[in-house]
mmCIF file with all atom_site columns, all heavy atoms in Angstrom:
data_model
loop_
_atom_site.group_PDB
_atom_site.id
_atom_site.type_symbol
_atom_site.label_atom_id
_atom_site.label_alt_id
_atom_site.label_comp_id
_atom_site.label_asym_id
_atom_site.label_entity_id
_atom_site.label_seq_id
_atom_site.pdbx_PDB_ins_code
_atom_site.Cartn_x
_atom_site.Cartn_y
_atom_site.Cartn_z
_atom_site.occupancy
_atom_site.B_iso_or_equiv
_atom_site.pdbx_formal_charge
_atom_site.auth_seq_id
_atom_site.auth_comp_id
_atom_site.auth_asym_id
_atom_site.auth_atom_id
_atom_site.pdbx_PDB_model_num
ATOM 1   N N   . TYR L 1 37  ? 31.011 88.439  75.136 1.00 0.00 ? 37  TYR L N   1
ATOM 2   C CA  . TYR L 1 37  ? 31.434 87.640  76.340 1.00 0.00 ? 37  TYR L CA  1
ATOM 3   C C   . TYR L 1 37  ? 32.833 87.053  76.046 1.00 0.00 ? 37  TYR L C   1
ATOM 4   O O   . TYR L 1 37  ? 33.672 86.924  77.010 1.00 0.00 ? 37  TYR L O   1
ATOM 5   C CB  . TYR L 1 37  ? 30.440 86.464  76.528 1.00 0.00 ? 37  TYR L CB  1
ATOM 6   C CG  . TYR L 1 37  ? 29.201 86.906  77.231 1.00 0.00 ? 37  TYR L CG  1
ATOM 7   C CD1 . TYR L 1 37  ? 28.024 86.673  76.642 1.00 0.00 ? 37  TYR L CD1 1
ATOM 8   C CD2 . TYR L 1 37  ? 29.311 87.556  78.452 1.00 0.00 ? 37  TYR L CD2 1
ATOM 9   C CE1 . TYR L 1 37  ? 26.819 87.039  77.325 1.00 0.00 ? 37  TYR L CE1 1
ATOM 10  C CE2 . TYR L 1 37  ? 28.115 87.892  79.121 1.00 0.00 ? 37  TYR L CE2 1
ATOM 11  C CZ  . TYR L 1 37  ? 26.924 87.651  78.547 1.00 0.00 ? 37  TYR L CZ  1
ATOM 12  O OH  . TYR L 1 37  ? 25.813 88.100  79.173 1.00 0.00 ? 37  TYR L OH  1
ATOM 13  N N   . LEU L 1 158 ? 27.608 90.884  92.795 1.00 0.00 ? 158 LEU L N   1
ATOM 14  C CA  . LEU L 1 158 ? 26.940 91.884  93.532 1.00 0.00 ? 158 LEU L CA  1
ATOM 15  C C   . LEU L 1 158 ? 26.604 91.393  94.918 1.00 0.00 ? 158 LEU L C   1
ATOM 16  O O   . LEU L 1 158 ? 26.360 90.188  95.122 1.00 0.00 ? 158 LEU L O   1
ATOM 17  C CB  . LEU L 1 158 ? 25.676 92.393  92.875 1.00 0.00 ? 158 LEU L CB  1
ATOM 18  C CG  . LEU L 1 158 ? 25.814 92.993  91.444 1.00 0.00 ? 158 LEU L CG  1
ATOM 19  C CD1 . LEU L 1 158 ? 24.507 93.150  90.781 1.00 0.00 ? 158 LEU L CD1 1
ATOM 20  C CD2 . LEU L 1 158 ? 26.608 94.297  91.546 1.00 0.00 ? 158 LEU L CD2 1
ATOM 21  N N   . GLY L 1 164 ? 22.535 97.344  91.254 1.00 0.00 ? 164 GLY L N   1
ATOM 22  C CA  . GLY L 1 164 ? 23.477 97.136  90.160 1.00 0.00 ? 164 GLY L CA  1
ATOM 23  C C   . GLY L 1 164 ? 23.258 98.036  88.954 1.00 0.00 ? 164 GLY L C   1
ATOM 24  O O   . GLY L 1 164 ? 24.220 98.435  88.257 1.00 0.00 ? 164 GLY L O   1
ATOM 25  N N   . ASN L 1 165 ? 22.049 98.352  88.605 1.00 0.00 ? 165 ASN L N   1
ATOM 26  C CA  . ASN L 1 165 ? 21.737 99.170  87.427 1.00 0.00 ? 165 ASN L CA  1
ATOM 27  C C   . ASN L 1 165 ? 21.908 100.680 87.682 1.00 0.00 ? 165 ASN L C   1
ATOM 28  O O   . ASN L 1 165 ? 21.659 101.487 86.764 1.00 0.00 ? 165 ASN L O   1
ATOM 29  C CB  . ASN L 1 165 ? 20.379 98.896  86.856 1.00 0.00 ? 165 ASN L CB  1
ATOM 30  C CG  . ASN L 1 165 ? 20.334 97.630  86.116 1.00 0.00 ? 165 ASN L CG  1
ATOM 31  O OD1 . ASN L 1 165 ? 21.322 96.989  85.821 1.00 0.00 ? 165 ASN L OD1 1
ATOM 32  N ND2 . ASN L 1 165 ? 19.116 97.235  85.665 1.00 0.00 ? 165 ASN L ND2 1
ATOM 33  N N   . ARG L 1 185 ? 25.017 98.719  83.767 1.00 0.00 ? 185 ARG L N   1
ATOM 34  C CA  . ARG L 1 185 ? 23.806 97.944  84.113 1.00 0.00 ? 185 ARG L CA  1
ATOM 35  C C   . ARG L 1 185 ? 24.234 96.543  84.574 1.00 0.00 ? 185 ARG L C   1
ATOM 36  O O   . ARG L 1 185 ? 24.046 95.530  83.903 1.00 0.00 ? 185 ARG L O   1
ATOM 37  C CB  . ARG L 1 185 ? 22.869 97.821  82.840 1.00 0.00 ? 185 ARG L CB  1
ATOM 38  C CG  . ARG L 1 185 ? 22.352 99.232  82.374 1.00 0.00 ? 185 ARG L CG  1
ATOM 39  C CD  . ARG L 1 185 ? 21.364 99.121  81.310 1.00 0.00 ? 185 ARG L CD  1
ATOM 40  N NE  . ARG L 1 185 ? 21.951 98.668  80.068 1.00 0.00 ? 185 ARG L NE  1
ATOM 41  C CZ  . ARG L 1 185 ? 21.648 97.537  79.483 1.00 0.00 ? 185 ARG L CZ  1
ATOM 42  N NH1 . ARG L 1 185 ? 20.818 96.668  79.983 1.00 0.00 ? 185 ARG L NH1 1
ATOM 43  N NH2 . ARG L 1 185 ? 22.287 97.173  78.383 1.00 0.00 ? 185 ARG L NH2 1
ATOM 44  N N   . LEU L 1 186 ? 24.720 96.543  85.809 1.00 0.00 ? 186 LEU L N   1
ATOM 45  C CA  . LEU L 1 186 ? 25.264 95.299  86.361 1.00 0.00 ? 186 LEU L CA  1
ATOM 46  C C   . LEU L 1 186 ? 24.157 94.223  86.662 1.00 0.00 ? 186 LEU L C   1
ATOM 47  O O   . LEU L 1 186 ? 24.383 93.055  86.464 1.00 0.00 ? 186 LEU L O   1
ATOM 48  C CB  . LEU L 1 186 ? 26.045 95.588  87.603 1.00 0.00 ? 186 LEU L CB  1
ATOM 49  C CG  . LEU L 1 186 ? 27.373 96.306  87.425 1.00 0.00 ? 186 LEU L CG  1
ATOM 50  C CD1 . LEU L 1 186 ? 27.969 96.716  88.774 1.00 0.00 ? 186 LEU L CD1 1
ATOM 51  C CD2 . LEU L 1 186 ? 28.349 95.473  86.606 1.00 0.00 ? 186 LEU L CD2 1
ATOM 52  N N   . SER L 1 187 ? 23.043 94.720  87.151 1.00 0.00 ? 187 SER L N   1
ATOM 53  C CA  . SER L 1 187 ? 21.918 93.737  87.414 1.00 0.00 ? 187 SER L CA  1
ATOM 54  C C   . SER L 1 187 ? 21.481 93.118  86.197 1.00 0.00 ? 187 SER L C   1
ATOM 55  O O   . SER L 1 187 ? 21.168 91.933  86.125 1.00 0.00 ? 187 SER L O   1
ATOM 56  C CB  . SER L 1 187 ? 20.768 94.524  88.080 1.00 0.00 ? 187 SER L CB  1
ATOM 57  O OG  . SER L 1 187 ? 21.164 94.943  89.387 1.00 0.00 ? 187 SER L OG  1
ATOM 58  N N   . SER L 1 188 ? 21.335 93.911  85.059 1.00 0.00 ? 188 SER L N   1
ATOM 59  C CA  . SER L 1 188 ? 20.918 93.311  83.734 1.00 0.00 ? 188 SER L CA  1
ATOM 60  C C   . SER L 1 188 ? 21.976 92.284  83.326 1.00 0.00 ? 188 SER L C   1
ATOM 61  O O   . SER L 1 188 ? 21.602 91.278  82.785 1.00 0.00 ? 188 SER L O   1
ATOM 62  C CB  . SER L 1 188 ? 20.747 94.489  82.778 1.00 0.00 ? 188 SER L CB  1
ATOM 63  O OG  . SER L 1 188 ? 19.766 95.355  83.148 1.00 0.00 ? 188 SER L OG  1
ATOM 64  N N   . LEU L 1 189 ? 23.223 92.610  83.489 1.00 0.00 ? 189 LEU L N   1
ATOM 65  C CA  . LEU L 1 189 ? 24.294 91.651  83.030 1.00 0.00 ? 189 LEU L CA  1
ATOM 66  C C   . LEU L 1 189 ? 24.273 90.392  83.896 1.00 0.00 ? 189 LEU L C   1
ATOM 67  O O   . LEU L 1 189 ? 24.310 89.287  83.375 1.00 0.00 ? 189 LEU L O   1
ATOM 68  C CB  . LEU L 1 189 ? 25.644 92.392  83.151 1.00 0.00 ? 189 LEU L CB  1
ATOM 69  C CG  . LEU L 1 189 ? 26.888 91.521  82.865 1.00 0.00 ? 189 LEU L CG  1
ATOM 70  C CD1 . LEU L 1 189 ? 26.869 91.058  81.505 1.00 0.00 ? 189 LEU L CD1 1
ATOM 71  C CD2 . LEU L 1 189 ? 28.159 92.350  83.098 1.00 0.00 ? 189 LEU L CD2 1
ATOM 72  N N   . LEU L 1 190 ? 24.388 90.554  85.276 1.00 0.00 ? 190 LEU L N   1
ATOM 73  C CA  . LEU L 1 190 ? 24.592 89.359  86.105 1.00 0.00 ? 190 LEU L CA  1
ATOM 74  C C   . LEU L 1 190 ? 23.319 88.585  86.418 1.00 0.00 ? 190 LEU L C   1
ATOM 75  O O   . LEU L 1 190 ? 23.371 87.373  86.605 1.00 0.00 ? 190 LEU L O   1
ATOM 76  C CB  . LEU L 1 190 ? 25.306 89.864  87.395 1.00 0.00 ? 190 LEU L CB  1
ATOM 77  C CG  . LEU L 1 190 ? 26.644 90.582  87.225 1.00 0.00 ? 190 LEU L CG  1
ATOM 78  C CD1 . LEU L 1 190 ? 27.223 91.074  88.545 1.00 0.00 ? 190 LEU L CD1 1
ATOM 79  C CD2 . LEU L 1 190 ? 27.653 89.652  86.539 1.00 0.00 ? 190 LEU L CD2 1
ATOM 80  N N   . LYS L 1 191 ? 22.202 89.303  86.544 1.00 0.00 ? 191 LYS L N   1
ATOM 81  C CA  . LYS L 1 191 ? 20.952 88.635  86.963 1.00 0.00 ? 191 LYS L CA  1
ATOM 82  C C   . LYS L 1 191 ? 20.143 88.171  85.749 1.00 0.00 ? 191 LYS L C   1
ATOM 83  O O   . LYS L 1 191 ? 19.426 87.162  85.881 1.00 0.00 ? 191 LYS L O   1
ATOM 84  C CB  . LYS L 1 191 ? 20.227 89.494  87.909 1.00 0.00 ? 191 LYS L CB  1
ATOM 85  C CG  . LYS L 1 191 ? 20.932 89.759  89.270 1.00 0.00 ? 191 LYS L CG  1
ATOM 86  C CD  . LYS L 1 191 ? 20.087 90.638  90.169 1.00 0.00 ? 191 LYS L CD  1
ATOM 87  C CE  . LYS L 1 191 ? 20.802 90.845  91.487 1.00 0.00 ? 191 LYS L CE  1
ATOM 88  N NZ  . LYS L 1 191 ? 20.036 91.717  92.433 1.00 0.00 ? 191 LYS L NZ  1
ATOM 89  N N   . ASN L 1 192 ? 20.126 88.998  84.729 1.00 0.00 ? 192 ASN L N   1
ATOM 90  C CA  . ASN L 1 192 ? 19.294 88.694  83.549 1.00 0.00 ? 192 ASN L CA  1
ATOM 91  C C   . ASN L 1 192 ? 20.104 88.169  82.361 1.00 0.00 ? 192 ASN L C   1
ATOM 92  O O   . ASN L 1 192 ? 19.486 87.850  81.361 1.00 0.00 ? 192 ASN L O   1
ATOM 93  C CB  . ASN L 1 192 ? 18.551 89.941  83.154 1.00 0.00 ? 192 ASN L CB  1
ATOM 94  C CG  . ASN L 1 192 ? 17.690 90.499  84.282 1.00 0.00 ? 192 ASN L CG  1
ATOM 95  O OD1 . ASN L 1 192 ? 17.192 89.688  85.076 1.00 0.00 ? 192 ASN L OD1 1
ATOM 96  N ND2 . ASN L 1 192 ? 17.484 91.824  84.358 1.00 0.00 ? 192 ASN L ND2 1
ATOM 97  N N   . GLY L 1 193 ? 21.408 88.216  82.450 1.00 0.00 ? 193 GLY L N   1
ATOM 98  C CA  . GLY L 1 193 ? 22.216 87.693  81.337 1.00 0.00 ? 193 GLY L CA  1
ATOM 99  C C   . GLY L 1 193 ? 22.190 88.551  80.101 1.00 0.00 ? 193 GLY L C   1
ATOM 100 O O   . GLY L 1 193 ? 22.285 88.047  78.949 1.00 0.00 ? 193 GLY L O   1
ATOM 101 N N   . ASP L 1 194 ? 22.005 89.826  80.226 1.00 0.00 ? 194 ASP L N   1
ATOM 102 C CA  . ASP L 1 194 ? 21.882 90.717  79.129 1.00 0.00 ? 194 ASP L CA  1
ATOM 103 C C   . ASP L 1 194 ? 23.314 91.027  78.594 1.00 0.00 ? 194 ASP L C   1
ATOM 104 O O   . ASP L 1 194 ? 24.040 91.737  79.154 1.00 0.00 ? 194 ASP L O   1
ATOM 105 C CB  . ASP L 1 194 ? 21.150 92.056  79.538 1.00 0.00 ? 194 ASP L CB  1
ATOM 106 C CG  . ASP L 1 194 ? 20.947 93.021  78.352 1.00 0.00 ? 194 ASP L CG  1
ATOM 107 O OD1 . ASP L 1 194 ? 21.478 92.653  77.226 1.00 0.00 ? 194 ASP L OD1 1
ATOM 108 O OD2 . ASP L 1 194 ? 20.270 94.031  78.568 1.00 0.00 ? 194 ASP L OD2 1
ATOM 109 N N   . SER L 1 195 ? 23.657 90.433  77.484 1.00 0.00 ? 195 SER L N   1
ATOM 110 C CA  . SER L 1 195 ? 25.007 90.563  76.937 1.00 0.00 ? 195 SER L CA  1
ATOM 111 C C   . SER L 1 195 ? 25.319 92.045  76.507 1.00 0.00 ? 195 SER L C   1
ATOM 112 O O   . SER L 1 195 ? 26.434 92.401  76.455 1.00 0.00 ? 195 SER L O   1
ATOM 113 C CB  . SER L 1 195 ? 25.173 89.634  75.761 1.00 0.00 ? 195 SER L CB  1
ATOM 114 O OG  . SER L 1 195 ? 24.329 89.944  74.736 1.00 0.00 ? 195 SER L OG  1
ATOM 115 N N   . ALA L 1 197 ? 24.881 94.518  78.250 1.00 0.00 ? 197 ALA L N   1
ATOM 116 C CA  . ALA L 1 197 ? 25.381 95.274  79.380 1.00 0.00 ? 197 ALA L CA  1
ATOM 117 C C   . ALA L 1 197 ? 26.853 94.993  79.677 1.00 0.00 ? 197 ALA L C   1
ATOM 118 O O   . ALA L 1 197 ? 27.386 95.613  80.543 1.00 0.00 ? 197 ALA L O   1
ATOM 119 C CB  . ALA L 1 197 ? 24.523 94.948  80.572 1.00 0.00 ? 197 ALA L CB  1
#
Side-chain angles (χ1 to χ4, degrees):
Y37 282 124
L158 298 171
N165 281 356
R185 295 186 293 114
L186 289 175
S187 294
S188 297
L189 173 64
L190 300 177
K191 296 181 179 180
N192 301 329
D194 186 353
S195 61

